[in-house]
């Protein structure tokens, strides 16, 4: 048990330092690749290449001279990128690498984008597919609602699901709203975060682990410092680590299914730890909490509390005190009967008068 926990903890803290962890490269059309040098690194198991970007350019060009020139330039770029994609695919597979393709999601028309992705990548049954959601800004990137439809349409056409590539903030938002994003929250996660440790930030409540972690990119890899350098690639190449060795990654590739649904909890409460213990480790243990109450249980609790709240406004019943004597004649007749009768005294409870007079037997004797 201790060894298993230590191995799992290492997957969230610089796992690329473990020589048995498999690595995957992902690139786009402007990354230069020296395939002979790249394959000298035996930890590299797969190569994921950018395929489509939003919708394809218009097939026919209309408008003025400027619009027509721009349209033709976009179409030429699209055709060159597609040709390079297919060439890299042949080379990578010939060198024994697993192949994958990702689509950069843009705003609008998720079904059209899914068709563009499939038609561009022409995926085989063993090719990994991924949807790239760079951020949760729907004005620049595909909205999460559209991403759900994109994933659904890919499954309609191919019978399997893509991997979800996104950053820590978006992954956390999807995890917190998993009842709304029932497909996205169950896709294998390709996690992008360029920090040495992710144990505190990873959305462990929904995903128990990542399929791939993009830990090195242009953001944290330069000329003088880089988490991991791959031979035959530039400094801005994206490098990903898997939480498994090469054989296990080859067996699980291309991650075409959905992850298991995690048990529902009312809350996830960290176990209280001392500061020293918290700083010593890189993971947080979560306490076991009760499952959410049923609707009937919540109604019963609410009814009981409402009854108590309503009864608190009801005044207690009190007995009426006897009428005091009026006039001198009644007072003289009352004193002649040697004070009040026993029934009259019992009829006036001590607590009925909210104001204390501090009367004593001595005071009554004087009267």
């Amino acid at each position: 048990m201790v060894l298993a926990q230590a191995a799992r903890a290492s997957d969230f803290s610089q796992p690329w330092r473990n020589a048995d962890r498999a690595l995957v490269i992902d690139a786009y059309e402007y990354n230069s690749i020296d395939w002979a040098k790249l394959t000298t690194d035996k930890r590299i198991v797969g190569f994921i290449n950018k395929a489509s970007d939003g919708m394809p350019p218009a097939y026919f060009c209309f408008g003025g001279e400027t619009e027509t020139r721009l349209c033709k330039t976009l179409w030429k770029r699209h055709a060159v990128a597609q040709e390079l994609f297919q060439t890299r695919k042949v080379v990578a597979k010939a060198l024994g690498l697993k192949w994958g393709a990702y689509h950069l999601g843009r705003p609008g028309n998720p079904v059209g984008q899914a068709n563009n992705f499939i038609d561009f990548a022409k995926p085989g049954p063993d090719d990994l597919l991924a949807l790239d959601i760079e951020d949760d800004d729907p004005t620049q990137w595909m909205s999460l609602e559209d991403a759900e439809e994109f994933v659904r349409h890919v499954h309609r056409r191919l019978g399997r699901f893509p991997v979800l590539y996104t950053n820590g903030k978006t992954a956390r938002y999807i995890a917190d709203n998993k009842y709304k994003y029932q497909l996205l929250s169950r896709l294998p996660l390709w996690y992008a975060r360029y920090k040495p440790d992710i144990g505190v930030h990873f959305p462990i409540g929904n995903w128990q682990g990542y399929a791939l972690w993009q830990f090195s990119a242009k953001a944290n890899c330069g000329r003088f410092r880089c988490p991991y350098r791959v031979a035959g690639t530039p400094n801005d190449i994206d490098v990903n680590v898997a939480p498994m060795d090469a054989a296990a990654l080859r067996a699980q590739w291309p991650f075409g299914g959905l992850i298991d649904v995690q048990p529902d909890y009312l809350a996830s409460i960290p176990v209280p730890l001392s500061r020293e213990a918290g700083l010593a480790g890189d993971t947080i243990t979560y306490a076991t909490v009760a499952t959410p109450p049923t609707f009937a249980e919540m109604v019963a609790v609410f009814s009981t509390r409402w009854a108590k709240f309503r009864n608190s406004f009801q005044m207690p019943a009190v007995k009426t005190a006897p009428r005091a004597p009026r006039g001198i004649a009644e007072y003289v007749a009352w004193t002649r009967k040697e004070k009040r009768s026993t029934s009259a005294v019992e009829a006036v409870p001590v607590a009925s008068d909210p104001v204390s007079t501090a009367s004593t037997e001595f005071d009554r004797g004087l009267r």
Side-chain angles (χ1 to χ4, degrees), residues 38-337:
L38 184 146
T39 51
T40 59
D41 190 338
K42 301 305 179 183
R43 293 178 61 183
I44 306 297
V45 173
F47 194 100
I48 306 174
N49 204 90
K50 178 188 174 184
S52 47
D53 185 338
M55 292 292 293
Y59 188 77
F60 296 101
C61 296
F62 301 96
E65 181 180 356
T66 302
E67 290 81 3
T68 302
R69 186 184 303 113
L70 177 60
C71 175
K72 290 182 178 180
T73 300
L74 291 176
W75 180 253
K76 181 179 180 180
R77 177 184 174 184
H78 176 78
V80 171
Q82 190 172 33
E83 185 67 24
L84 177 62
F85 177 90
Q86 296 299 335
T87 301
R88 285 181 172 179
K89 180 178 181 179
V90 172
V91 174
K93 290 192 171 186
L95 294 172
L97 296 176
K98 290 293 185 180
W99 180 258
Y102 71 88
H103 171 83
L104 186 59
R106 299 290 185 177
N109 198 353
V111 173
Q113 291 192 56
N115 288 328
N116 180 36
F117 178 42
I118 295 172
D119 296 340
F120 188 108
K122 298 178 175 58
D126 194 41
D127 294 346
L128 181 144
L129 302 174
L131 171 60
D132 182 350
I133 303 296
E134 290 289 325
D135 207 342
D136 58 356
D137 182 2
T139 63
Q140 299 186 48
W141 313 107
M142 180 181 286
S143 69
L144 299 182
E145 289 74 17
D146 283 353
E148 286 266 310
E149 184 57 34
F150 178 97
V151 171
R152 191 175 292 110
H153 192 68
V154 169
H155 184 265
R156 290 192 196 106
R157 288 194 56 179
L158 301 179
R160 56 193 176 100
F161 295 96
V163 171
L164 174 64
Y165 170 92
T166 194
N167 58 27
K169 183 180 71 172
T170 306
R172 169 60 62 186
Y173 183 81
I174 293 172
D176 292 341
N177 297 272
K178 60 183 179 181
Y179 300 109
K180 182 177 181 181
Y181 305 113
Q182 297 184 18
L183 275 180
L184 296 182
S185 61
R186 294 190 61 193
L187 297 179
L189 182 60
W190 181 0
Y191 192 71
R193 188 172 179 85
Y194 312 114
K195 300 292 183 180
D197 303 284
I198 60 171
V200 177
H201 303 279
F202 192 81
I204 197 69
N206 185 75
W207 287 281
Q208 298 307 299
Y210 52 83
L212 295 171
W213 170 12
Q214 187 181 93
F215 67 91
S216 180
K218 185 178 181 180
N220 65 338
C221 182
R223 180 180 176 184
F224 300 104
R225 179 179 297 180
C226 189
Y228 191 93
R229 295 191 187 276
V230 179
T233 63
N235 291 333
D236 62 345
I237 198 73
D238 296 337
V239 188
N240 309 269
V241 64
M244 62 195 80
D245 59 21
L249 181 58
R250 291 178 183 276
Q252 293 194 29
W253 199 277
F255 302 102
L258 298 175
I259 65 172
D260 295 333
V261 177
Q262 301 300 320
D264 290 333
Y265 292 106
L266 195 60
S268 294
I269 306 172
V271 175
L273 298 173
S274 66
R275 178 177 177 82
E276 293 74 13
L279 294 176
D282 54 7
T283 59
I284 296 179
T285 304
Y286 290 88
T288 302
V289 293
T291 56
T294 63
F295 180 76
E297 291 173 339
M298 290 191 292
V299 170
V301 171
F302 178 79
S303 300
T304 302
R305 293 184 177 180
W306 171 253
K308 292 182 179 180
F309 176 76
R310 181 190 57 196
N311 294 338
S312 65
F313 289 93
Q314 295 181 354
M315 297 297 294
V318 296
K319 296 182 180 180
T320 305
R323 180 177 62 83
R326 298 178 180 176
I328 299 299
E330 288 188 10
Y331 178 76
V332 172
W334 177 75
T335 54
R336 288 179 178 179
K337 292 183 179 180

